[in-house]
Amino acid sequence: MYFKEINVRYFWFMFNSEFHQFSLHLFGGMSSAFFISTIAIYLHNKKMEFFWYGIFLLLVNIYFVFFNSYIKSFIPEGIKAHTLIIQNIAQVWINLCYLLFAMYNLNTNRDYPKFHQFLKVVAYVLIGFMVMYLILNTGGLSPASHRRLMDLQRLVMALFVVFNTYYLLRYGKSNFVYIILLAAFLFTSGAVATWLTLDLIWMVLG
């Protein structure tokens, strides 16, 4: 039932709206350019924040490529059959990569040692969630269970962003904190809006 519902509601997004498809092409082109430039910077200066931000952009592209009707036509059927699993794992990796990017960029290990330990726990929780999700899928996970698990992950990450915002606004030691928080807020808002409306344009905009 869930697959049927989500496929029907996404059908308009994927095939019947030139605006949405144009948005996907534009987003894919821009994020790919940023990915290449970010990895190039990393290869030059070896700073890990650029590496993790580059992987973040790559995974965002992987997530959205399955909604691009043109590019999706070139994806082998064997891979398309696992679209839901690939996208769900990509979502969690996206959160993990942005978390690692923020940790390196804000130098939390030096400037926020207690907060750094908390962020490490969150990173391990995300990794544990991915392992649990893959194990559950080997036994056959129902569509409803897919939805509940990912909804739980989105809710936890939304609360995590709220807490981070409070903590860094209160204890932040550099102006770059505001950029990190703004980006996290926009991305999380887009994810939550898509979760509530099932319209992916909000994630593209976020």
Side-chain angles (χ1 to χ4, degrees):
M1 180 64 186
Y2 174 64
F3 277 123
K4 181 179 179 181
E5 174 191 353
I6 202 166
N7 284 337
V8 169
R9 297 184 69 175
Y10 278 163
F11 182 81
W12 171 79
F13 176 88
M14 294 172 61
F15 299 107
N16 293 347
S17 171
E18 292 183 3
F19 169 72
H20 283 74
Q21 284 297 304
F22 172 76
S23 299
L24 281 175
H25 287 303
L26 180 63
F27 175 83
M30 292 178 63
S31 60
S32 295
F34 279 119
F35 164 72
I36 294 171
S37 60
T38 301
I39 293 300
I41 293 171
Y42 164 71
L43 293 174
H44 175 70
N45 62 21
K46 304 302 181 183
K47 291 185 177 181
M48 289 302 296
E49 55 263 42
F50 290 99
F51 172 80
W52 287 116
Y53 193 72
I55 301 302
F56 164 80
L57 292 172
L58 175 64
L59 290 165
V60 170
N61 257 333
I62 291 173
Y63 177 84
F64 280 113
V65 76
F66 289 95
F67 295 108
N68 187 313
S69 57
Y70 175 73
I71 298 178
K72 190 177 180 180
S73 64
F74 295 98
I75 299 176
E77 291 299 325
I79 295 178
K80 279 193 250 185
H82 301 288
T83 295
L84 186 61
I85 297 173
I86 294 171
Q87 286 185 310
N88 286 343
I89 290 296
Q91 281 187 63
V92 184
W93 265 107
I94 286 167
N95 291 327
L96 179 60
C97 288
Y98 192 82
L99 172 63
L100 293 170
F101 157 72
M103 290 171 69
Y104 278 101
N105 211 297
L106 296 176
N107 205 351
T108 56
N109 190 36
R110 182 194 67 192
D111 294 337
Y112 314 92
K114 291 182 180 179
F115 188 52
H116 179 77
Q117 295 304 316
F118 168 71
L119 295 181
K120 284 176 64 177
V121 171
V122 174
Y124 288 130
V125 168
L126 287 173
I127 294 171
F129 178 87
M130 285 187 284
V131 172
M132 178 189 70
Y133 181 81
L134 289 172
I135 291 174
L136 289 174
N137 268 289
T138 60
L141 200 60
S142 70
S145 297
H146 276 282
R147 180 181 57 184
R148 284 193 292 269
L149 279 172
M150 295 311 299
D151 285 351
L152 175 62
Q153 186 265 157
R154 294 182 188 105
L155 178 60
V156 170
M157 291 309 297
L159 294 174
F160 171 66
V161 169
V162 171
F163 173 76
N164 283 357
T165 301
Y166 164 76
Y167 184 91
L168 290 174
L169 286 177
R170 182 168 182 177
Y171 301 107
K173 298 180 180 180
S174 71
N175 291 330
F176 199 77
V177 163
Y178 300 109
I179 298 175
I180 294 286
L181 290 177
L182 177 61
F185 173 78
L186 291 174
F187 182 78
T188 304
S189 298
V192 172
T194 293
W195 172 28
L196 296 175
T197 66
L198 288 184
D199 191 340
L200 282 169
I201 191 61
W202 298 113
M203 280 192 73
V204 174
L205 293 174

